[in-house]
Amino acid sequence: MIPDIRQAFNQQFTPSRYADLLAGLTVETGVTPAFRVAETPVFVPKKLEEQLLAAGEEVIKTVRRPDLLELTEAAIPKGYLVPKENHHPQFIIVDFAVTRNEAGELVPQLIELQGFPSLFGFQEMLARQYRQYMPVPETFCTFGPGLDRAGYVDLLRRCILGTHHPSNVILLEVLPRRQKTLIDFVCTEMLLGIPVVCVTDLVQESKKLYYLKNGEKVRVQRIYNRMIFEDLATYKDELGTIVNFQHELEVEWATHPNWYYRVSKFLLPFIHGPFAPKAWFLHELPVLPQDLENYVLKPLFSFAGQGVIIDPTPAHVEKIEDPENWILQQKVEYAAAIETPTGSAKCEIRLMYCWPDDAPAPVLAQNLARLSKGKMIGVNYNRDLDWVGGSSCFFEP
């Protein structure tokens, strides 16, 4: 998105450099990414960065509303409420489409948000690998304002470990070895020294949780939660008998499962501004817009773009039996803003915030980018294309 840097990058790119990048990721972690990694990072111009930061802060203001718990009471599905909710989510991610305004300038538009961790471990490693194998300007940075690698790792440590020893903190997931984000789990373990534990490997005694290490029980005092709770239902038969998280347990969460629902698409209708497309709960609309083709239908309780109806019709709406669980959002036109040797790519940028227990407000820590040449953004929708996939943003100094 910075023409001279983009042109220089494309001219210096070689397939062997890309192969070395992918090999470097595997050598460092012992895991081959299960999703496509893009050939290029994204070089973000200063003006767009400033707009992203301002837009992100407006979203954070909504998350920090004093009445947020009351506002989001209906956000948690029945049967998914978990006790001992803490005061705020330790992680918040906010996704923006890169679009063009009427003047042709690049501007961000809010797509989604979540009170849930993203690839905080992997993105740090990916940025380092881009620097090692690709022509990245030395002064460009992927971290949030004022952070370097040491500050970033310390911020993650405060969020994930809290006050506990790494051996008493676990990264918890459903069947982690089969997850596409396994490489991120390994990166996190390497950064912080916490074990990756499957939900089936937890041992409960009264209100205490343990995991087994070398045949011995180790107390779990804090959970870095990477579980999407719907997976517990999806894999119920395979998982067998597991801990009932609806019971009160003597454990801390980072982030508590309830925040996955509270800070989610549920908040889109409450966020306003030039960066926020209009959004409504479907059941609160007295009539559908006449230009329905300019909107998208999003289910509240879905992940990674699943269930989204990009080109809705009245017939789609009529078939929805639970309109209270759907959002109608103004459609966003992604800009083909990144020139590649095989055609222009669209871009979505994720701002990744950390909010330690002892911090007054969230801190922008890291970012993630997705490049696409198809109708849908996301690494699952561009498998047979090149110069697309997961990436990192390097911000102009």
Side-chain angles (χ1 to χ4, degrees), residues 80 174-175 228-239:
Y80 286 88
V174 177
L175 306 174
I228 296 174
F229 266 53
E230 285 89 338
D231 283 351
L232 296 178
T234 301
Y235 298 104
K236 181 179 179 180
D237 292 340
E238 186 173 350
L239 297 176

Side-chain angles (χ1 to χ4, degrees), residues 96-111:
F96 292 96
V98 176
T99 72
R100 292 193 186 274
N101 61 17
E102 293 180 358
E105 301 168 322
L106 295 176
V107 293
Q109 288 288 295
L110 177 64
I111 297 298

Side-chain angles (χ1 to χ4, degrees), residues 161-182:
L161 300 184
T163 59
H164 301 287
H165 190 275
S167 64
N168 299 116
V169 181
I170 63 170
L171 187 159
L172 187 63
E173 176 59 290
V174 177
L175 306 174
R177 295 292 162 187
R178 285 161 46 182
Q179 297 290 341
K180 290 183 178 180
T181 48
L182 174 61

